């Protein structure tokens, strides 16, 4: 059973990411608009969260969670198809974006190999490869989350993810990337840090389901305690919002704590508190965040995300005399969002 509000939130996150990627002036107001984090964190967190819900419902017929591997394969095919289309467009029709794919044409054997293995990921093409890897890892880890009998077991399963994220703060990505050719592009996301966002979403969902089961069996009131404490998150969110937008006279924190690439500590805490607030709203008022137009996009997030990458590249192939001026840099991103919604609607009918 799907939770409509979660699909709607994923759809809204996709719309925000699309508008962010189209650049200013809209991105000036949308990027990290709620604090020291972006829509990408929400996308990965919810993917892990929803993944546990799906793993629980499908666990009876598919205890090995093979569906996750099929989902990973499908996502891999979408990524490779998108990359192939953009490579051909850049070579034959859009020379202005050729630079993003130049290294593949200059190193055809290595470019094809590392692209197929999801190691080489040009700009804006680095999210789906992460999702493929996390799905594959999740197909082995999620069954353990689902089978956990106690909340502390879920915590123990989450600790390795925390450990990898901690090590990643000290340059793990740079050391491993140094093993590959210098021309290989690894994207803007540190996989060893971003896996923490994904598996934290999974751990929260697993913990909540276990806490609900224990409470119904007469165990301590963990669920009610969390619900009662949720309103206390509001002051933290307000403070981080005011701080990030410089509405209070405090020096902005160092990149070490708020960096996007490695998911700095303050960035993660700010985002995690925000998502706990969203979870509270969904629990308290399940229909409040259910938006029909966004819901359909969330249900077909893979199609929408892949298509948005192509639209973004097409936009960046447009001459600067158009791309940097009103009304085009406002109208075109909005039209792109409408087209993505239409694509999702079409997929929904099929």
């Amino acid at each position: 059973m799907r939770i409509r509000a979660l699909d709607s939130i994923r759809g809204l996150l996709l719309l925000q990411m699309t508008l962010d990627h189209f650049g200013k002036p809209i991105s000036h107001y949308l990027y990290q608009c709620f604090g020291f984090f972006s829509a990408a964190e929400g996308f990965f967190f919810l993917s892990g969260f929803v993944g546990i819900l799906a793993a629980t419902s499908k666990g009876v017929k598919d205890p090995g969670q093979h569906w996750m591997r099929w989902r990973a394969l499908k996502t891999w095919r979408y990524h490779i198809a998108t990359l192939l289309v953009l490579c051909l467009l850049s070579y034959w029709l859009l020379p202005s974006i050729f630079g993003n794919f130049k290294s593949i044409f200059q190193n055809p054997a290595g470019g094809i190999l590392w692209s197929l293995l999801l190691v080489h990921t040009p700009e804006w093409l680095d999210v789906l490869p992460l999702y493929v890897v996390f799905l594959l890892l999740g197909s082995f880890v999620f069954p353990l989350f689902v089978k956990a009998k106690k909340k502390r077991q879920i915590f123990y399963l989450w600790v390795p993810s925390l450990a990898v994220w901690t090590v990643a703060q000290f340059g793990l990505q740079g050391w491993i990337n140094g093993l590959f050719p210098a021309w290989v592009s690894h994207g803007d996301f540190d996989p060893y840090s971003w896996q923490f966002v994904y598996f934290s979403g999974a751990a929260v969902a697993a913990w909540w389901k276990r806490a609900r089961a224990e409470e119904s069996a007469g165990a301590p009131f963990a669920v009610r305690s969390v619900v009662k404490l949720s309103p206390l998150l509001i002051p933290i969110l307000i403070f981080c919002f005011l701080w990030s937008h410089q509405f209070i006279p405090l020096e902005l924190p160092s990149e070490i704590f708020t960096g996007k690439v490695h998911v700095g500590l303050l960035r993660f805490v700010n985002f995690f508190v925000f998502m706990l607030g969203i979870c509270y709203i969904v629990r308290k008022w399940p229909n409040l965040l259910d938006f029909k137009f966004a819901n359909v996009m969330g249900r077909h997030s893979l199609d929408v995300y892949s298509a948005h990458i192509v639209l973004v590249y097409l936009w960046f192939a447009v001459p600067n005399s158009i791309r940097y001026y009103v009304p085009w840099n406002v109208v075109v991103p909005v039209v792109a969002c409408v087209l993505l919604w239409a694509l999702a609607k079409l997929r929904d009918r099929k």
Side-chain angles (χ1 to χ4, degrees):
M1 178 179 178
R2 303 185 72 99
I3 300 177
R4 290 182 57 86
L6 297 184
D7 282 332
S8 294
I9 294 170
R10 292 177 78 180
L12 291 174
L13 291 172
L14 286 167
L15 288 173
Q16 183 175 356
M17 282 191 283
T18 299
L19 294 172
D20 283 343
H21 291 164
F22 268 84
K24 295 180 179 179
I26 296 178
S27 65
H28 176 75
Y29 301 98
L30 279 185
Y31 182 69
Q32 298 191 173
C33 57
F34 294 111
F36 295 106
F37 60 93
S38 64
E41 284 89 348
F43 189 77
F44 277 107
F45 183 91
L46 281 181
S47 294
F49 190 97
V50 173
I52 284 293
L53 301 183
T56 302
S57 64
K58 297 179 180 182
V60 176
K61 294 183 178 180
D62 185 13
Q65 305 298 340
H66 296 92
W67 69 271
M68 296 188 72
R69 298 182 193 113
W70 282 111
R71 178 72 174 177
L73 178 61
K74 180 180 179 181
T75 305
W76 178 84
R77 293 202 304 263
Y78 269 66
H79 168 71
I80 296 301
T82 305
L83 177 60
L84 178 62
V85 167
L86 289 172
C87 281
L88 294 176
L89 284 175
S90 70
Y91 188 82
W92 295 107
L93 298 174
L94 304 173
S96 58
I97 64 172
F98 180 75
N100 296 86
F101 310 97
K102 184 178 180 180
S103 56
I104 296 178
F105 290 99
Q106 290 181 334
N107 307 274
I112 293 173
L113 173 64
W114 296 126
S115 294
L116 292 175
L117 294 177
L118 308 180
V119 175
H120 178 71
T121 55
E123 191 173 10
W124 297 303
L125 285 158
D126 48 357
V127 170
L128 291 184
L130 285 184
Y131 195 41
V132 172
V133 174
F134 296 164
L135 279 168
L136 290 175
L137 291 175
S139 68
F140 297 101
V141 177
F142 282 19
L144 302 178
F145 275 123
V146 173
K147 294 176 183 177
K149 300 299 183 182
K150 299 291 184 181
K151 296 191 294 295
R152 65 173 178 270
Q153 294 176 330
I154 295 171
F155 174 77
Y156 296 149
L157 290 170
W158 174 74
V159 166
S161 177
L162 172 63
V164 173
W165 171 81
T166 302
V167 175
Q169 304 305 301
F170 300 95
L172 176 63
Q173 181 193 30
W175 180 79
I176 295 179
N177 287 353
L179 302 176
F180 297 97
W183 56 265
V184 173
S185 171
H186 301 280
D188 294 329
F189 294 85
D190 179 350
Y192 315 103
S193 296
W194 280 82
Q195 57 79 27
F196 185 53
V197 179
Y198 180 80
F199 286 106
S200 291
V204 168
W207 184 93
W208 180 256
K209 291 185 71 65
R210 177 48 51 195
R212 290 292 297 271
E214 290 182 3
E215 186 182 45
S216 64
F221 50 95
V223 175
R224 291 196 300 272
S225 299
V226 171
V227 171
K228 290 180 180 179
L229 291 174
S230 293
L232 299 179
L233 303 175
I234 296 176
I236 301 175
L237 294 174
I238 293 176
F239 176 77
C240 288
F241 171 82
L242 295 175
W243 191 10
S244 66
H245 291 279
Q246 287 289 271
F247 290 123
I248 54 178
L250 279 178
E251 184 179 353
L252 287 173
S254 168
E255 176 73 8
I256 296 174
F257 298 103
T258 61
K260 180 178 180 180
V261 174
H262 61 276
V263 193
L265 176 61
L266 178 58
R267 186 184 190 93
F268 179 80
V269 170
N270 186 190
F271 161 74
F272 191 73
V273 171
F274 178 81
M275 285 308 303
L276 290 180
I278 295 295
C279 290
Y280 174 76
I281 294 174
V282 173
R283 289 195 307 267
K284 193 77 173 177
W285 303 283
N287 296 322
L288 187 62
L289 297 178
D290 180 15
F291 306 103
K292 189 174 182 180
F293 75 93
N295 182 276
V296 67
M297 297 183 72
R299 289 201 304 273
H300 301 283
S301 57
L302 184 55
D303 302 86
V304 171
Y305 190 87
S306 300
H308 116 276
I309 296 173
V310 176
L311 293 178
V312 168
Y313 266 107
L314 292 176
W315 174 240
F316 276 82
V318 172
N320 293 344
S321 58
I322 296 176
R323 188 154 56 91
Y324 290 123
Y325 292 94
V326 176
W328 306 112
N329 56 5
V330 174
V331 173
V332 173
V334 172
V335 170
C337 290
V338 174
L339 290 175
L340 293 175
W341 173 84
L343 171 64
K345 196 70 175 175
L346 180 62
R347 293 287 292 161
D348 204 49
R349 290 179 178 177
K350 289 184 178 181

